Amino acid sequence: MTSTTSAAVVSVGTRTVTRAEVEDFLYREAQLLDEWRLDEWFTMFEADGRMEVPTTDWAGWDATTAGYFVCDDYDLIRARVKRLKSRKAHAENPHSRTHRMVSNVILLEAGAETVWISANFLIHRYRDNGAYTYVGRYEHVLKVDDDGLRFRVRRAIPVMESMDPGARLSFIL
């Protein structure tokens, strides 16, 4: 990380990244997840990418010392996608209907090849005649290159104090 900003444009190496580009990236991700196009979603990660979903009491703890709902490296993300698409994912067969909304996208810091961003999310989930709402914020590190943006770290932080009893989080991506 070389600079801190809340600008609409940052320089990453020799490339310029705009908030609009990051917003398009996040909107595209939301669309792919809502349409259950998981293989395409998986391509949004770089080869060393990781995905984290800390617990609701998270206070910035490292994944090696605190509880996380999800703490997947690239291979585990691939395995999760494969499992969710199979009939072995009983809790998601058929998969939940979801509708994601992303807002408040902020470019935080730019590095030599990455940009750190934050955003808010709201996920409406419909399953078993029930409707559930999940609220949180994203803290992502995006790899920037000439081909576009990729997740280096994708962190979705639930901001709710608790989850509904028995709420299955098998869809969480």
Side-chain angles (χ1 to χ4, degrees):
M1 295 175 278
T2 58
S3 65
T4 300
T5 184
S6 60
V9 178
V10 295
S11 294
V12 177
T14 60
R15 192 163 165 317
T16 298
V17 177
T18 66
R19 182 172 41 229
E21 181 182 9
V22 171
E23 288 171 338
D24 287 347
F25 179 79
L26 296 176
Y27 297 161
R28 177 75 174 147
E29 182 204 26
Q31 179 185 29
L32 292 174
L33 290 172
D34 287 342
E35 295 176 358
W36 209 245
R37 295 162 53 188
L38 303 181
D39 290 324
E40 292 175 67
W41 172 76
F42 181 63
T43 66
M44 298 180 84
F45 286 83
E46 69 170 355
D48 292 333
R50 57 182 301 108
M51 179 175 78
E52 298 175 353
V53 181
T55 55
T56 55
D57 62 347
W58 187 69
W61 304 307
D62 182 79
T64 60
T65 59
Y68 274 58
F69 293 125
V70 176
C71 187
D72 291 352
D73 64 14
Y74 188 76
D75 291 333
L76 286 174
I77 298 167
R78 180 189 345 230
R80 183 180 297 274
V81 165
K82 182 178 179 182
R83 184 181 54 78
L84 285 171
K85 290 175 35 188
S86 78
R87 292 181 178 262
K88 294 178 181 174
H90 303 289
E92 282 301 325
N93 188 13
H95 66 82
S96 300
R97 293 182 184 191
T98 57
H99 180 85
R100 289 171 169 77
M101 300 181 76
V102 178
S103 68
N104 302 57
V105 176
I106 299 173
L107 309 181
L108 296 173
E109 297 182 28
E113 60 180 20
T114 58
V115 61
W116 292 52
I117 66 108
S118 70
N120 292 336
F121 66 84
L122 178 68
I123 303 173
H124 297 284
R125 178 189 190 206
Y126 307 97
R127 176 96 190 155
D128 300 331
N129 296 315
Y132 309 89
T133 301
Y134 303 93
V135 180
R137 73 175 189 280
Y138 291 131
E139 293 181 358
H140 299 326
V141 179
L142 304 177
K143 168 83 183 290
V144 179
D145 60 28
D146 292 336
D147 295 330
L149 305 173
R150 298 276 184 272
F151 287 112
R152 178 166 285 175
V153 177
R154 181 189 184 277
R155 183 178 297 134
I157 304 164
V159 297
M160 302 164 307
E161 290 183 1
S162 64
M163 302 286 187
D164 291 336
R168 293 171 291 185
L169 295 175
S170 55
F171 80 99
I172 210 162
L173 290 175

